[in-house]
């Protein structure tokens, strides 16, 4: 048998390596597919600026156990602690029964939430309406700085927010470490309905957060053109500068929102 010479050995090695790499491209293993398709984690810049609220249990209660739990809760002394279980079991009828004995202003030690706040978080509108007149401190803030109004404004239905404002809730409450107001939040999110509701009930237009930004800054920076004329018509100061010396115009220009630039000239 003839010995392979060196060029032939090199040629064979290259051919084998090429075949292996081609196979990996067209037939990747499952782990590699998972790495590519795995969803990207949210960065701090993309995370919501709204405060967290009550930490409900993530456990799924089996139907049989749920029925048994509801029976026990109905036939036992109604306490604030057990009211949390009623909320987690999502039984609004029983929640209403509990609130005849549990104060809607009771403050839970864990997150400084109140039964009123729990009703809002659970979207129990009927129970909320039943107890709203009995609430003494509508502006109580939980552990994360949120009031009932702040919690109610996070969803699409603002009927609870309107009821709280009519009750006298403060539309200018500052609810996180940056001294954010709900008007700033509405401007940041582009929520025109919430913005107009807050202005109607006395929201201060030119309040600045710890970074020196106002509602107008946030609307311009995020490109919410529809909010700009509303804020300007209500007295928003377009010459106001933040801690970096930037005006709303400067942010709109920097981000390339040319129509907003025109509105702020």
């Amino acid at each position: 048998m003839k010995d392979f010479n060196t060029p032939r050995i090199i040629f064979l090695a290259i051919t084998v390596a090429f075949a292996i790499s081609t196979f990996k491209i067209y037939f990747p293993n499952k782990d590699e597919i998972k790495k590519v398709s795995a969803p990207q984690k949210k960065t701090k810049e993309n995370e919501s600026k709204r405060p967290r609220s009550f930490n409900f249990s993530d456990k799924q209660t089996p139907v049989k156990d749920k029925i048994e739990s509801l029976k026990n809760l109905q036939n036992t002394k109604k306490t604030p602690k057990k009211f949390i279980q009623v909320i987690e079991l999502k039984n609004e009828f029983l929640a209403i029964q509990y609130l005849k004995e549990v104060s809607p202003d009771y403050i839970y030690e864990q997150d400084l939430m109140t039964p009123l706040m729990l009703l809002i978080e659970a979207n129990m509108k009927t129970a909320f309406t039943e107890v709203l007149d009995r609430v003494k401190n509508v502006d109580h803030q939980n552990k994360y700085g949120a009031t009932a109004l702040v919690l109610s404004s996070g969803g699409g239905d603002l009927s609870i927010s309107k009821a709280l404002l009519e009750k006298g809730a403060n539309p200018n409450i500052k609810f996180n470490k940056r001294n954010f107001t709900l008007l700033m939040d509405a401007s940041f999110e582009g929520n025109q309905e919430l913005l107009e509701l807050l202005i109607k009930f006395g929201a201060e237009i030119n309040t600045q957060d710890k970074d020196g930004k106002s509602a107008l800054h946030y609307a311009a920076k995020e490109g919410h053109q529809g909010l700009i004329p509303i804020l300007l018509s209500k007295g928003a100061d377009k010459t106001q500068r933040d801690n970096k010396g930037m005006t709303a115009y400067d942010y709109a220009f920097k981000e390339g929102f040319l129509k907003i630039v025109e509105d702020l000239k």
Side-chain angles (χ1 to χ4, degrees):
M1 184 180 289
K2 294 181 179 180
D3 294 334
F4 286 111
N5 56 31
T6 301
R8 185 173 295 178
I9 293 171
I10 293 172
F11 174 77
L12 286 172
I14 293 172
T15 302
V16 171
F18 177 77
I20 291 172
S21 63
T22 302
F23 181 84
K24 285 185 175 181
I25 291 172
Y26 288 98
F27 303 97
N29 62 48
K30 292 181 180 179
D31 291 337
E32 288 174 336
I33 292 174
K34 286 180 181 178
K35 287 179 182 177
V36 173
S37 61
Q40 297 295 317
K41 292 182 178 179
K42 285 185 177 181
T43 63
K44 287 185 178 179
E45 293 180 357
N46 295 328
E47 289 176 352
S48 171
K49 292 177 174 61
R50 299 183 68 80
R52 292 185 298 156
S53 50
F54 190 77
N55 184 25
F56 287 106
S57 172
D58 293 326
K59 295 179 180 179
Q60 294 294 325
T61 307
V63 175
K64 184 179 179 181
D65 293 345
K66 184 175 181 179
I67 294 172
E68 191 64 31
S69 295
L70 287 171
K71 284 181 179 178
N72 292 335
L73 288 167
Q74 194 166 13
N75 298 321
T76 190
K77 184 178 179 180
K78 297 173 177 58
T79 65
K81 185 176 180 180
K82 289 176 182 174
F83 179 74
I84 294 176
Q85 297 175 44
V86 173
I87 293 292
E88 290 184 332
L89 289 170
K90 301 177 181 178
N91 191 295
E92 187 165 13
F93 174 78
L94 191 54
I96 292 171
Q97 300 306 308
Y98 262 70
L99 287 165
K100 291 177 181 178
E101 300 181 31
V102 175
S103 169
D105 290 296
Y106 178 88
I107 300 172
Y108 294 95
E109 290 184 9
Q110 181 183 353
D111 288 338
L112 302 183
M113 293 283 281
T114 66
L116 181 74
M117 290 175 163
L118 296 182
L119 292 174
I120 292 169
E121 290 282 86
N123 198 32
M124 292 185 176
K125 295 180 183 178
T126 302
F128 166 84
T129 303
E130 289 267 342
V131 301
L132 184 58
D133 286 341
R134 291 169 48 207
V135 174
K136 295 178 181 178
N137 183 10
V138 75
D139 287 325
H140 167 76
Q141 291 178 279
N142 69 8
K143 181 180 178 180
Y144 308 106
T147 61
L149 179 62
V150 173
L151 295 177
S152 71
S153 65
D157 183 358
L158 295 179
S159 60
I160 290 179
S161 299
K162 184 179 179 182
L164 288 165
L165 288 165
E166 289 173 342
K167 172 77 174 175
N170 182 4
N172 297 304
I173 202 78
K174 295 179 179 180
F175 58 84
N176 64 15
K177 293 179 181 179
R178 294 172 63 183
N179 282 344
F180 232 49
T181 65
L182 275 176
L183 193 70
M184 293 174 194
D185 187 68
S187 299
F188 179 83
E189 297 290 344
N191 190 334
Q192 183 173 331
E193 186 181 2
L194 174 60
L195 181 130
E196 291 179 330
L197 180 65
L198 292 167
I199 291 174
K200 178 181 177 181
F201 283 90
E204 295 172 3
I205 305 296
N206 292 311
T207 298
Q208 293 171 281
D209 64 11
K210 282 190 175 180
D211 297 324
K213 291 183 177 63
S214 66
L216 188 64
H217 278 99
Y218 284 109
K221 190 173 186 293
E222 299 301 319
H224 300 306
Q225 185 191 356
L227 304 188
I228 303 300
I230 298 173
L231 290 167
L232 291 175
S233 70
K234 298 299 180 180
D237 183 1
K238 62 183 180 181
T239 67
Q240 203 170 37
R241 295 182 181 275
D242 67 7
N243 296 350
K244 294 180 180 178
M246 300 277 280
T247 63
Y249 173 94
D250 295 330
Y251 280 112
F253 185 84
K254 180 182 176 181
E255 300 296 334
F257 299 125
L258 300 183
K259 290 184 179 180
I260 294 179
V261 168
E262 288 297 319
D263 289 340
L264 292 172
K265 277 185 177 179

